[in-house]
Amino acid sequence: MEGGARLVDITNTQSLPYPDCNDPGDGALDLQVLAEAIDAKLVASFANFRAIVNRPAFIVGLLANQTGFASGSTADIVWDNVIWDSTTIGVGVGSGITFTDPGYWMLGCWISSVPSGGVTANSKLLIRMSYRGDLYIPVGGVHTESTAAANFQSNTGGEDIVVTQLVRQEYDGVALPGTGGGSVTINLSHGNVASTLTVNSTSLVWGFKVCNLEDM
Amino acid sequence: MPGSTSLGIPYPYQGETVTAQSWEDLATAVDGLMTSLDTIRDLAESFETAQISGGSVSTATAVTATIANYSTTSWDTSGWVDLVTNPNQITVPPGLYFVNGYAFISGGTTYTMARLQIMAAGTPWAVRTTDGTGTSSLLLASVSGFVMCTAATTALTLSGRWVGTGGPATFSTARFQAVKIRALANV
């Protein structure tokens, strides 16, 4: 039967080919088509599990202290140091940290700040983490979430605040590069009228993909 | 010389004789690949994680001290904890980790602030300050962070610091946990 028409059956669930009962099953092609079919299944399975194990994640920081956060106003921290990045396209830094992989993401930040001079005792310090993500439907739609944590500046050793939140990111930004995906912004406001605040370079923003969206 | 698929599954070329060895070679290759797949699936399904609890440290005001003497290993899936040898740490291999810590503080007279920090090999990766004008006791919120560990082994520890009067104050009933999010290199 080599080179001629062949009779092939397939298994019920994985559609793996094998010679039917009228075929002696001794042809090299029988093994090749089975090997190729198994190969395709395994390639897909490896890719699926590797996508989980090698989950996208990022850690972003500051190359230097960021100074001049004045009381009574809200200002974004501008990030400029990618410490770790395993996202598909790569994170973008700036006042918004952009990332594109869809899924449920855990985001967090540690903001370390210190007054540049005097301290207004018990003045409020607020760190807000805001997420903005583009939606598939409606086209051009935007999904936003934010959370915040506050503290009071009652000591001269500076303040350290941690904020975390889980977000759902739909649009991977691949179809329309530069227009899709999500971004996370950290802004700071405070009431320390005695001096401006400095955000220390030890501060970090991080994120990791927890799992796929339910329809992926 | 047989042909092979992209993953190396061998098959005889057309015109070559199919033998029992042909089938054995194919089956053996598939067996090896499925074993590799099992390994990756296990990594995908099971996170490596540990929690230690019951730790404490007493420290004077304005002094940072590492919480130690954890009494209980709540869980330890990958052998990261040895409280006999290292009662103050979770020791992890390279990777990215989500780490969380928590403790009470008591024993001071007044508190201006109290602070918990997550350290990796002595470097802080997350710090949470709680300011307050408490008197007899102060409950600390937990601190959590995402930690990158690059050394062959890294000691994750939890430290406490407070400012106020009286003392020494004790950070106690501390809980410290870590979970590996991913390896540094792709699998």
Side-chain angles (χ1 to χ4, degrees), chain A residues 4-44:
Chain A
R6 306 191 62 82
L7 300 173
V8 175
D9 276 335
I10 56 174
T11 58
N12 289 334
T13 55
Q14 299 294 327
S15 301
L16 297 176
Y18 60 89
D20 82 351
C21 57
N22 296 313
D23 188 320
D26 57 354
L29 191 58
D30 294 324
L31 267 74
Q32 182 175 350
V33 294
L34 176 61
E36 296 286 2
I38 293 172
D39 185 281
K41 296 289 183 183
L42 290 176
V43 165

Side-chain angles (χ1 to χ4, degrees), chain A residues 2-3 25-29 31-32 34-36 38-39 42-43 45-46 49-50 52-59 83-84 86 106 110 149-155 157-162 164 204 206-208, chain B residues 5-16 18 22-23 26 30 33-34 36-37 40-41 43-44 47 96 98 112-113 115 124-131 143-146 148 181-187:
Chain A
E2 289 286 347
D26 57 354
L29 191 58
L31 267 74
Q32 182 175 350
L34 176 61
E36 296 286 2
I38 293 172
D39 185 281
L42 290 176
V43 165
S45 294
F46 273 113
F49 285 124
R50 284 190 173 118
I52 299 171
V53 173
N54 302 325
R55 68 186 65 246
F58 65 83
I59 303 173
I83 297 169
W84 167 268
S86 61
M106 180 65 87
W110 159 38
N151 210 354
F152 295 93
Q153 300 173 111
S154 58
N155 67 86
E159 303 297 330
D160 293 274
I161 293 181
V162 172
T164 60
L204 298 170
W206 48 264
F208 63 85
Chain B
T5 67
S6 64
L7 292 177
I9 303 173
Y11 55 82
Y13 283 124
Q14 291 187 52
E16 293 182 347
V18 176
S22 306
W23 289 99
L26 184 148
V30 172
L33 288 167
M34 293 185 71
S36 298
L37 191 61
I40 296 177
R41 185 196 61 201
L43 286 173
F47 282 89
L96 299 177
F98 186 67
T112 304
M113 73 88 177
R115 181 175 296 169
W125 278 81
V127 183
R128 179 71 170 102
T129 303
T130 302
D131 291 315
V143 59
S144 59
F146 198 46
M148 180 173 67
I181 299 302
R182 58 158 293 157
L184 295 178
N186 284 343
V187 174

Side-chain angles (χ1 to χ4, degrees), chain B residues 131-145:
Chain B
D131 291 315
T133 54
T135 53
S136 60
S137 65
L138 177 65
L139 173 66
L140 292 185
S142 61
V143 59
S144 59

